[in-house]
Amino acid sequence: MELVASNKCFGGEQKQYSHTSSSLNCDMRFSIFLPPQAEEGKVPVLYWLSGLTCTDENFVQKAGAQRYAAEAGIAIVCPDTSPRGEDVADDAEGAYDFGLGAGFYVNATQAPWNKHYHMYDYITQELPALINAEFPVDVERQSISGHSMGGHGALTIALKNPQQYKSVSAFAPIVSPINCPWGQKALGGYLGNNENAWFEYDTCELVKNAPVKLPMLVDQGDADQFLEEQLQTQRLVDACDQAGYSAEINMREGYDHSYFFIASYIESHIEFHRKFLFS
C-alpha cells in the first residue's frame, strides 16, 4: 500500500492510497477520511460507492462530507468504481456506462470481464480487510452508502450481507437494473444471458426475501433526468411495501442527479448512519 496524497481536513486527514488488488488483478486507488477521533482509538466506518464515470475522488472533492464525518467521528472509505490499467478490458466503443468506470459492483462471469471485474468481492471482502488491518476503524461498526450506480451497489451489497453493516443509504440509486437500459447492458455483459443471475444484483428482487431488514434511507430528486428510464424509484417503494420493509424513501422536490443534490443531503445521511453505528 502506497500513500498518494494526504491533506489536513476538519481536524482529521483526507488520504489517498494505491495498492495491488488480488481480487481485481490490478493496481487500485482508494480514498479514506480519518476524523480527529481516530487519533485516540478506533472509529466506525462508512463505505461510499460512487456512480458511473467516477473515481475515488469525486465524492471526496464535491460532497462536503468531511465536516459532518469529523463531527460524528466516522471514517469514510471511497473506492474506485472499476478495475483500472492498460490490460483491463473496456467497452469497445468507449461508452461511459460499461467497462472502465462502470464496474456495477458485480462479479463478472463472462470473458474478458471476468479477469478483472470482481468489484463485489473487492468491496465486500478485500478492501474492508485492508482497511481494518491498516487503519484505526472498528470492524464491528460498518455502514454503506452510494450514488446512482453506487447506490445500486450499496443497496444490493447491504441486502446480501446484512451481518456486515449497521445501515445502508443511497442517493438516486438504480433500484432495478434488470428493468432499465443501464442495468440490462451491464448485467448482460458481465454476467451473460442467464437472467436468473441478474436477480442477485437487483435491489427490488433482494428486498422481497431480505432475511434482515437493515435500516435503509434513500433520497431521490424529482427533477433527476434519469429518474423515469433508469432509476425507477417507484419500483423500490412498491417492493418495500409488498415485503413489509420499512425503508425511508424520500422524493426531493427540484433536485437533479448531480453532486449539488448529494451535498445538500449528505449531512442527513451521515446523521442517519451515526444513529446506528453508535447505538
Side-chain angles (χ1 to χ4, degrees):
M1 193 173 68
E2 179 182 350
L3 179 65
V4 177
S6 180
N7 300 91
K8 192 76 174 179
C9 187
F10 290 101
E13 294 179 296
Q14 181 65 61
K15 295 177 174 289
Q16 185 185 50
Y17 289 88
S18 65
H19 75 107
T20 299
S21 167
S22 58
S23 56
L24 301 177
N25 296 309
C26 65
D27 289 340
M28 291 291 287
R29 287 190 177 187
F30 68 87
S31 293
I32 181 169
F33 174 71
L34 294 170
Q37 295 87 340
E39 295 181 1
E40 301 178 0
K42 291 186 175 182
V43 295
V45 58
L46 175 65
Y47 284 84
W48 172 270
L49 307 184
S50 289
L52 291 167
T53 76
C54 290
T55 69
D56 62 295
E57 295 182 306
N58 296 73
F59 179 82
V60 169
Q61 296 175 357
K62 295 180 179 181
Q66 292 93 337
R67 172 184 175 182
Y68 308 114
E71 293 172 353
I74 297 172
I76 302 180
V77 174
C78 303
D80 203 345
T81 54
S82 79
R84 305 278 180 174
E86 293 183 0
D87 65 335
V88 176
D90 193 12
D91 184 84
E93 299 178 356
Y96 75 93
D97 56 356
F98 190 74
L100 296 181
F104 268 82
Y105 305 101
V106 304
N107 283 341
T109 59
Q110 304 300 300
W113 316 104
N114 57 356
K115 181 179 179 182
H116 296 285
Y117 285 76
H118 297 143
M119 287 298 294
Y120 178 85
D121 283 350
Y122 180 69
I123 299 300
T124 61
Q125 299 176 33
E126 183 180 5
L127 184 59
L130 178 64
I131 298 298
N132 296 337
E134 299 292 338
F135 300 99
V137 301
D138 186 349
V139 65
E140 299 297 328
R141 293 188 292 164
Q142 299 183 153
S143 291
I144 192 167
S145 184
H147 171 233
S148 194
M149 177 187 71
H152 141 78
L155 292 172
T156 55
I157 284 172
L159 288 166
K160 294 175 70 167
N161 302 275
Q163 75 288 348
Q164 195 165 331
Y165 304 101
K166 298 294 186 182
S167 52
V168 59
S169 74
F171 290 84
I174 303 169
V175 302
S176 187
I178 66 175
N179 288 300
C180 75
W182 278 345
Q184 291 165 352
K185 179 178 180 179
L187 297 181
Y190 294 135
L191 305 178
N193 295 326
N194 180 8
E195 295 188 4
N196 289 329
W198 299 10
F199 291 173
E200 290 297 311
Y201 296 103
D202 186 284
T203 295
C204 291
E205 292 297 320
L206 293 171
V207 159
K208 294 177 182 179
N209 300 299
V212 177
K213 293 179 172 61
L214 281 178
M216 180 188 295
L217 168 64
V218 173
D219 276 315
Q220 171 65 57
D222 69 359
D224 191 317
Q225 64 270 39
F226 302 113
L227 175 57
E228 182 175 349
E229 182 179 28
Q230 305 285 7
L231 308 179
Q232 304 178 22
T233 309
Q234 188 60 44
R235 288 185 182 272
L236 180 59
V237 174
D238 295 341
C240 287
D241 287 344
Q242 294 168 12
Y245 198 126
S246 58
E248 179 182 347
I249 304 174
N250 304 308
M251 190 63 68
R252 302 298 188 180
E253 183 179 358
Y255 284 91
D256 58 19
H257 200 69
S258 71
Y259 265 86
F260 295 110
F261 172 43
I262 297 172
S264 299
Y265 287 98
I266 191 62
E267 180 181 11
S268 64
H269 279 243
I270 290 176
E271 175 59 23
F272 170 79
H273 292 296
R274 186 197 65 79
K275 290 187 297 183
F276 301 104
L277 289 168
F278 285 94
S279 65

